[in-house]
Amino acid sequence: MKVVVDYDLCESNAVCMQVAPEIFEVRDDDFLYVLNETPDESLREKLVESVQRCPKQAISIEED
Amino acid sequence: MDSICIVGASLAGIRAAQTLRSDGFSGQIVLVGDELEKPYDRPPLSKEALFDPAYNEGEPLYLVKGQDYDALELEERLGWRATSLNVEERIVEIGEVGETITKTEQIQTDAILLATGARAINIFRENLAGVYTLRSFEDCVVIRHELLALAEQVESKQAKSKRVAIVGAGFIGCEVAAVARWLGLEVSLIEMASQPLSRVLGEEIGACVADIHREKGVDVHLNTMVEGLIGEEPNRVEGLYLVPFVAGEGNGATPKTAEKEELPADLVIVGVGATPNIEWLEGSGLALDEENKGVLCDEYCLAAENIACAGDMASWMNLRYKKQMRVEHWDNAIEQSKFAVRNLLAGGTSSKSKGIQEPFAPIPWFWSDQYEHKIQLSGIPSIDSKTVEFEILDGSIEEKKFAAVFKQNGKVTGIFGLNTPRLVMTNRHLIESDFPFPP
Ligand SMILES: Cc1cc2nc3c(=O)[nH]c(=O)nc-3n(C[C@H](O)[C@H](O)[C@H](O)COP(=O)(O)OP(=O)(O)OC[C@H]3O[C@@H](n4cnc5c(N)ncnc54)[C@H](O)[C@@H]3O)c2cc1C
Ligand code: SF4
């Protein structure tokens, strides 16, 4: 699975980083960085939760 | 547990269904909702959906799209309203929404999730056109048309100016004010309290929000009550009667008021808050929470055996704060629905669940977008008393970019951010350490 972020929608509120710090990081420059674009299956639950809790619907998952 | 009925097909309801399926629940899920649309997102309704040409006017922003929605295998009853609940037998009686309800059905399931949310309060009795509350996609479409039509009249110089009066400077009122200004309309924002959002954010930060709106040209009326609408029924509204309080005179119960004023307006939006949709549960035997309104639930979000609640209509015991509370925030509806259905699964006989119930004890989180400004709030600033104190963590109020820490009795109760969205989340641990859970 692949993490896709629509940066036009993202407002850097770090909700995803709170849920899945292994995948997302909002840095001091206030931009969101995806640390791991193709996370392991074991991170699926956290990634799904990030998708559901992103207030801007900016995250989606692309299946292989 | 082999079957569940989810009543309320919106944020809490659909996220509950998603949790059930991703937890491996393969039984029957009946989703009952009195709106015809599939579950959609409400926050855009007072923001981009109200004016942005990029936003598809024909349909709302759905919460689960296409194949992902189909994969949930829901038995939908959209356009059906729950009318009563039998708690012992777990039967939800529903009726198809029409002029009157003629067709009815009974749904009997092993478990029930109540997620009927809240509706906007309208304080006006007058039957005048051009007066709206905003809660649903339908409301949004109508208000959008009204706003765009007024803007068009100004732009084409048919009218010199057009005024939108917004009653209540809560989050939704403030957001609609921003949209109307963006469209080039005159805006009056009328609030009973001494500052916008002051009940949540206190005087000083409330004053900063008022400044934001004044800077953008909004005519802000504080300490002002709206006494009624101007206009002849059933024609269009022509304005409002305002009654300003005289600051520092009279007392809380009987404040001194000044002379009544007339404020002309072409459109009136009422944003004075919401009330939970729980009337249909009267007589069901479920306890209702008088103080917070809402259905009374325990720390597991359970209202009765095999019946749970989530979202805007649930009043539950948040053990982190040891307080019964009801929270009308987007993120809360999602999180609570997850706990609620997992606790239903755990209490039932499903072999998939761990069989352990978990208390729902969140630190609330909320956001609001007004103009280019991003507001974020974590925690509950005034958890212990009415006055709130704060310290600036970063930036300054003057530059309209700051993060603040709210404190009460030496404890960090909340983090507020204006245009510092990251800092609100990354400083949440300060609340966490003063209000730990488990203790
Ligand atoms: C315009 C607007 C802007 C918002 N902006 C923000 C924001 O920026 N940030 C934020 O944190 N929160 C925001 N919110 C709040 C957030 O949208 C709500 O907290 C959230 O929608 C609550 O979800 P819910 O599922 O509990 O209830 P609701 O979304 O209210 O859904 C309840 C559903 O149940 C249906 N229903 C009611 N009674 C019955 C019945 N008897 N039978 C069947 N169906 C029934 C209703 O029609 C509705 O579809 C906003 C809300 C609105 C209205
Ligand atoms: S939760 Fe969404 S909006 Fe927030 S930082 Fe992550 S992607 Fe951006």
Side-chain angles (χ1 to χ4, degrees):
Chain A
M1 62 185 167
K2 193 170 166 231
V3 184
V4 182
V5 174
D6 184 337
Y7 290 95
D8 289 338
L9 296 176
C10 171
E11 61 162 23
S12 300
N13 52 35
V15 172
C16 51
M17 168 172 151
Q18 183 94 0
V19 175
E22 301 88 341
I23 306 175
F24 302 103
E25 185 181 343
V26 179
R27 299 209 181 127
D28 292 353
D29 61 6
D30 275 337
F31 283 110
L32 171 68
Y33 293 83
V34 178
L35 305 176
N36 183 354
E37 274 210 331
T38 50
D40 204 75
E41 210 39 46
S42 63
L43 284 171
R44 181 178 287 274
E45 194 177 333
K46 283 190 177 180
L47 180 57
V48 167
E49 186 175 345
S50 308
V51 172
Q52 291 182 2
R53 286 178 66 188
C54 168
K56 300 290 161 177
Q57 294 205 19
I59 312 170
S60 52
I61 305 174
E62 232 170 59
E63 299 296 348
D64 317 312
Chain B
M1 178 177 128
D2 292 321
S3 58
I4 182 168
C5 179
I6 299 175
V7 190
S10 180
L11 184 60
I14 195 66
R15 291 287 187 252
Q18 288 179 293
T19 298
L20 284 164
R21 290 304 185 217
S22 60
D23 281 10
F25 177 73
S26 59
Q28 179 195 33
I29 303 178
V30 186
L31 181 67
V32 180
D34 64 4
E35 294 183 82
L36 283 169
E37 292 287 351
K38 292 189 195 303
Y40 60 85
D41 212 18
R42 287 182 208 280
L45 305 182
S46 50
K47 307 178 181 72
E48 54 275 19
L50 263 188
F51 74 101
D52 192 345
Y55 196 95
N56 183 354
E57 213 175 277
E59 59 178 47
L61 184 64
Y62 293 113
L63 287 163
V64 186
K65 299 175 191 95
Q67 284 180 345
D68 290 343
Y69 187 86
D70 299 336
L72 293 173
E73 297 194 4
L74 307 174
E75 243 175 70
E76 281 180 352
R77 293 285 191 288
L78 298 182
W80 289 71
R81 181 170 296 146
T83 50
S84 73
L85 170 71
N86 178 328
V87 172
E88 272 72 45
E89 315 268 339
R90 287 180 312 281
I91 297 172
V92 179
E93 191 162 297
I94 63 172
E96 197 170 11
V97 179
E99 294 230 321
T100 56
I101 287 180
T102 45
K103 223 162 114 190
T104 61
E105 237 182 71
Q106 290 195 337
I107 298 170
Q108 206 273 333
T109 46
D110 294 343
I112 297 171
L113 178 73
L114 303 173
T116 47
R119 63 177 180 278
I121 298 169
N122 187 358
I123 49 169
F124 297 114
R125 290 201 176 164
E126 298 93 328
N127 174 27
L128 291 172
V131 182
Y132 302 96
T133 55
L134 176 52
R135 181 82 199 176
S136 67
F137 178 62
E138 229 179 302
D139 299 336
C140 172
V141 170
V142 179
I143 296 172
R144 179 180 164 122
H145 282 169
E146 290 262 7
L147 287 170
L148 294 179
L150 292 178
E152 167 61 28
Q153 287 179 40
V154 177
E155 207 165 305
S156 66
K157 307 223 158 46
Q158 260 173 283
K160 222 174 112 221
S161 67
K162 289 283 173 187
R163 180 170 300 274
V164 184
I166 296 167
V167 183
F171 288 103
I172 291 179
C174 286
E175 290 179 352
V176 176
V179 169
R181 283 302 295 149
W182 238 322
L183 289 170
L185 299 168
E186 299 300 319
V187 175
S188 295
L189 186 58
I190 303 127
E191 170 58 48
M192 272 228 299
S194 51
Q195 293 295 348
L197 313 168
S198 56
R199 270 168 300 233
V200 188
L201 303 174
E203 288 293 309
E204 222 173 318
I205 295 181
C208 172
V209 175
D211 269 351
I212 286 178
H213 287 276
R214 282 193 204 101
E215 262 172 24
K216 298 285 182 184
V218 174
D219 160 47
V220 180
H221 296 253
L222 301 169
N223 289 310
T224 301
M225 209 168 65
V226 175
E227 206 192 60
L229 300 171
I230 307 172
E232 247 170 74
E233 296 186 356
N235 297 341
R236 205 177 160 85
V237 68
E238 286 165 22
L240 299 172
Y241 291 112
L242 304 184
V243 187
F245 299 124
V246 181
E249 289 184 44
N251 60 38
T254 49
K256 195 169 168 211
T257 54
E259 289 275 297
K260 184 153 102 179
E261 294 169 12
E262 288 189 15
L263 175 81
D266 304 286
L267 177 65
V268 175
I269 307 294
V270 187
V272 296
T275 187
N277 294 313
I278 54 172
E279 292 77 4
W280 69 282
L281 292 163
E282 275 165 21
S284 67
L286 288 185
L288 305 182
D289 176 357
E290 294 288 327
E291 195 190 327
N292 299 307
K293 312 231 192 77
V295 173
L296 192 72
C297 298
D298 64 10
E299 64 269 37
Y300 305 108
C301 312
L302 297 173
E305 206 182 331
N306 295 314
I307 299 180
C309 296
D312 285 10
M313 58 96 74
S315 159
W316 88 105
M317 173 50 76
N318 185 339
L319 287 181
R320 183 185 298 273
Y321 299 99
K322 296 183 190 64
K323 268 192 165 44
Q324 196 72 30
M325 54 176 75
R326 189 171 72 76
V327 175
E328 292 181 357
H329 298 174
W330 189 86
D331 188 55
N332 192 71
I334 299 174
E335 274 290 273
Q336 189 163 28
S337 71
K338 192 169 76 188
F339 276 75
V341 290
R342 288 199 170 146
N343 289 335
L344 285 174
L345 283 172
T349 51
S350 168
S351 55
K352 292 272 197 240
S353 71
K354 285 175 272 166
I356 305 162
Q357 294 184 330
E358 243 191 282
F360 178 55
I363 296 172
W365 181 85
F366 177 87
W367 88 96
S368 171
D369 303 334
Q370 300 171 23
Y371 313 95
E372 69 278 26
H373 300 290
K374 307 260 172 215
I375 291 176
Q376 242 97 22
L377 176 69
S378 199
I380 307 169
S382 56
I383 188 77
D384 289 325
S385 67
K386 288 226 159 74
T387 54
V388 283
E389 289 165 34
F390 70 92
E391 286 162 19
I392 299 289
L393 193 71
D394 197 78
S396 73
I397 294 186
E398 295 71 46
E399 58 179 325
K400 305 246 161 12
K401 184 174 166 71
F402 68 96
V405 176
F406 285 106
K407 283 192 177 168
Q408 283 196 320
N409 308 321
K411 288 182 172 184
V412 174
T413 54
I415 313 284
F416 174 83
L418 177 62
N419 299 315
T420 54
R422 173 179 54 95
L423 295 180
V424 175
M425 205 45 102
T426 52
N427 285 293
R428 228 165 112 113
H429 62 92
L430 299 174
I431 309 174
E432 191 105 44
S433 52
D434 282 345
F435 290 91
F437 186 81

